[in-house]
């Protein structure tokens, strides 16, 4: 992606990227239209964080040693760290048997904490989606300026300034046949060459809200009533559900993840 913008990312000889190499590459795009896209994709390319007993540092912070403290969604892992520190202060020397037993216990607790955090994040996401859908029912037919926040084979997700995200389904892009360029994070018109790319601004109209599955459908602003009905009918038959599943499957590439 950086190469398409004329930016070279230095490839490490040992196969391990350094944070400084990525930082220097992104710095070359500072102030340019491509800056937001490159920063977003860089974040989404990173693996999702997990709790573990092996110290692997923190790539984004370029920290060799790293331990996360005092986050509202990480209270139990915090408690484990506090307990370990108290135990170490009382007895800094462990026998081999004690060290093995503690490591095995912590590995199980780390895995459990990672799974529970995923469930908590998913529950929070579903709740937020519900309230956003409920709120946007009041704005069906209104137009908003937004930014393309996700590109998939079935359409483009657009995020509004208030944080609400909706889908412009590919079936509503009637001016051309669009193909999905996964490497470029974009949809490209076969005949016109028109491009919809991650990070591009876009003016949309709120087409409909489905409270059952907490989905919001957008369409491009400026369409007439006949086109609006043409777009709405296939969406009504679709029911909004398939793209929710598709978005989930595209999660690693499209959904924002926590570093």
């Amino acid at each position: 992606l950086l190469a398409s913008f004329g930016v070279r990312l230095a490839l490490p000889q040992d196969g391990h990227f350094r944070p400084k190499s990525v930082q220097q590459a992104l710095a070359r795009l500072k102030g340019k239209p491509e800056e937001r896209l490159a920063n977003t994709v860089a974040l989404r390319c990173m693996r999702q964080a997990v709790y573990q007993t092996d110290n692997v540092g923190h790539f984004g912070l370029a920290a060799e040693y790293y331990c996360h403290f005092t986050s509202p969604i990480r209270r139990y892992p915090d408690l484990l760290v506090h307990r370990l520190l108290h135990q170490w202060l009382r007895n800094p020397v462990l026998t081999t048997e004690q060290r093995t037993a503690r490591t095995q216990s912590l590995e199980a607790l780390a895995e459990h904490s990672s799974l529970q955090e995923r469930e908590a994040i998913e529950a929070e996401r579903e709740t937020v989606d519900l309230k956003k859908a409920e709120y946007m029912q009041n704005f069906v037919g209104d137009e908003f300026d937004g930014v393309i926040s996700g590109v998939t084979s079935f359409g483009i997700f657009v995020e509004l300034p208030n944080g609400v995200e909706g889908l412009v389904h590919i079936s509503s892009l009637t001016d051309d046949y669009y193909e999905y360029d996964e490497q470029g994070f974009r949809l490209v018109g076969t005949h016109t060459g028109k491009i919809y790319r991650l990070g591009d601004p876009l003016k949309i109209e709120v087409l409909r809200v489905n409270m059952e599955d907490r989905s919001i459908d957008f369409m491009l602003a400026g369409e007439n009533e006949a086109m609006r009905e043409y777009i709405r009918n296939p969406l009504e038959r679709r029911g909004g559900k398939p793209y929710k599943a598709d978005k989930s499957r595209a999660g690693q590439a499209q959904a924002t993840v926590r570093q």
Side-chain angles (χ1 to χ4, degrees):
L1 180 65
L2 289 173
S4 69
F5 300 143
V7 176
R8 180 178 178 272
L9 180 62
L11 298 175
Q13 294 183 348
D14 59 4
H16 296 286
F17 275 102
R18 266 65 174 184
K20 191 172 185 64
S21 299
V22 179
Q23 183 184 43
Q24 289 172 339
L26 294 176
R28 294 187 57 188
L29 294 174
K30 190 170 181 62
K32 297 182 179 180
E34 299 86 3
E35 180 182 10
R36 174 172 176 155
L37 169 60
N39 282 321
T40 300
V41 174
L43 175 63
R44 295 179 181 183
C45 285
M46 296 181 185
R47 290 188 306 169
Q48 195 167 17
V50 295
Y51 300 107
Q52 57 189 38
T53 54
D54 294 331
N55 172 55
V56 296
H58 191 292
F59 183 84
L61 298 178
E64 183 178 0
Y65 301 103
Y66 177 78
C67 186
H68 210 134
F69 278 88
T70 60
S71 169
I73 61 171
R74 304 184 185 100
R75 288 306 185 202
Y76 188 60
D78 291 342
L79 181 61
L80 291 176
V81 174
H82 297 163
R83 287 174 175 171
L84 288 170
L85 287 172
H86 280 292
Q87 292 169 7
W88 179 80
L89 288 171
R90 290 197 305 268
N91 181 22
V93 180
L94 297 176
T95 65
T96 301
E97 290 77 10
Q98 289 174 324
R99 186 183 300 275
T100 300
R102 182 166 296 178
T103 299
Q104 291 175 345
S105 173
L106 287 173
E107 286 175 349
L109 292 172
E111 181 179 0
H112 174 75
S113 296
S114 296
L115 292 174
Q116 291 302 106
E117 181 174 320
R118 299 293 180 272
E119 290 192 13
I121 290 174
E122 185 60 30
E124 178 185 3
R125 183 180 295 117
E126 290 187 5
T127 303
V128 170
D129 286 346
L130 175 65
K131 299 310 291 184
K132 286 179 178 178
E134 185 178 291
Y135 173 74
M136 291 304 291
Q137 286 186 109
N138 303 313
F139 300 99
V140 173
D142 290 355
E143 295 184 357
F144 295 91
D145 291 314
V147 174
I148 296 177
S149 58
V151 182
T152 72
S153 60
F154 53 87
I156 51 181
F157 288 92
V158 178
E159 183 177 346
L160 307 184
N162 60 9
V164 169
E165 188 179 55
L167 176 73
V168 178
H169 197 268
I170 197 168
S171 63
S172 70
L173 304 176
T174 57
D175 61 331
D176 201 348
Y177 177 80
Y178 286 88
E179 294 184 342
Y180 176 45
D181 175 11
E182 185 175 4
Q183 297 300 318
F185 296 88
R186 61 185 185 171
L187 290 178
V188 181
T190 303
H191 304 290
T192 63
K194 189 173 183 179
I195 294 174
Y196 292 102
R197 186 172 63 182
L198 190 68
D200 286 348
L202 197 65
K203 192 175 188 67
I204 58 88
E205 176 185 326
V206 181
L207 181 63
R208 69 171 206 141
V209 176
N210 188 326
M211 290 300 301
E212 182 181 350
D213 61 3
R214 304 173 297 280
S215 66
I216 303 170
D217 284 303
F218 294 156
M219 60 182 285
L220 300 183
E223 300 285 8
N224 58 37
E225 186 58 35
M227 183 60 70
R228 191 176 290 108
E229 280 302 313
Y230 173 80
I231 295 170
R232 185 182 290 116
N233 288 337
L235 291 179
E236 292 293 342
R237 291 194 297 272
R238 175 171 60 84
K241 296 181 180 179
Y243 89 72
K244 297 283 281 190
D246 287 343
K247 186 180 180 185
S248 175
R249 286 197 294 271
Q252 289 188 348
Q254 298 295 337
T256 304
V257 297
R258 176 178 62 81
Q259 163 57 12

